Amino acid sequence: KAKAKAMPLDGCHNTQVVFESLLSSCEVVNCKRVKVQTKGSCLAFAVDKTDGITVYLSPESRGAQIVTSKSSEMNVSFPDGPGEDADWIELPIPEQFVTTVGDDNKLRSKVSELYG
């Protein structure tokens, strides 16, 4: 099986994409209501200016980075364990953060308590 380096999605609406593996990343920009699923390995997902996305991770991609900016209604879904019979867990990707200035004049940001 051949692997692609990267996969960009730009300006897609109501789109579902399933791919085997990527050497680098899957980039989603200016999209609405999309679902992206890797069946193999993918190191990173970049989500920018997108409203409504679910990223489905395979067991091999569970450690992938998901970098988001200017996006909303984001979820990540992954299997609870090995095997095809494993239950899937879906969690929201935080959109809201709380930032404060520390005594050392450095910013500290943490996920809002809305996300528990």
Side-chain angles (χ1 to χ4, degrees):
K1 294 180 183 178
K3 289 185 181 180
K5 181 176 180 183
M7 182 180 62
L9 293 174
D10 192 347
C12 297
H13 296 264
N14 295 321
T15 303
Q16 297 180 26
V17 176
V18 179
F19 59 89
E20 195 63 40
S21 293
L22 294 174
L23 295 172
S24 181
S25 65
C26 174
E27 300 172 8
V28 181
V29 182
N30 295 317
C31 294
K32 291 185 186 221
R33 296 176 302 282
V34 295
K35 294 180 180 182
V36 180
Q37 179 177 358
T38 176
K39 296 177 99 181
S41 63
C42 182
L43 299 175
F45 293 83
V47 180
D48 187 27
K49 300 176 193 162
T50 294
D51 296 319
I53 182 170
T54 301
V55 177
Y56 295 90
L57 300 175
S58 67
E60 297 95 326
S61 294
R62 207 172 144 151
Q65 284 189 334
I66 302 172
V67 179
T68 64
S69 63
K70 298 181 182 179
S71 297
S72 65
E73 302 172 44
M74 302 174 290
N75 292 292
V76 61
S77 187
F78 50 90
D80 190 20
E84 293 184 16
D85 294 335
D87 290 331
W88 282 73
I89 298 172
E90 184 170 285
L91 298 173
I93 297 173
E95 299 174 37
Q96 188 177 60
F97 298 87
V98 177
T99 301
T100 57
V101 178
D103 293 337
D104 57 358
N105 295 329
K106 293 186 179 180
L107 295 179
R108 290 181 175 63
S109 297
K110 64 179 185 175
V111 175
S112 169
E113 291 182 12
L114 292 174
Y115 294 91

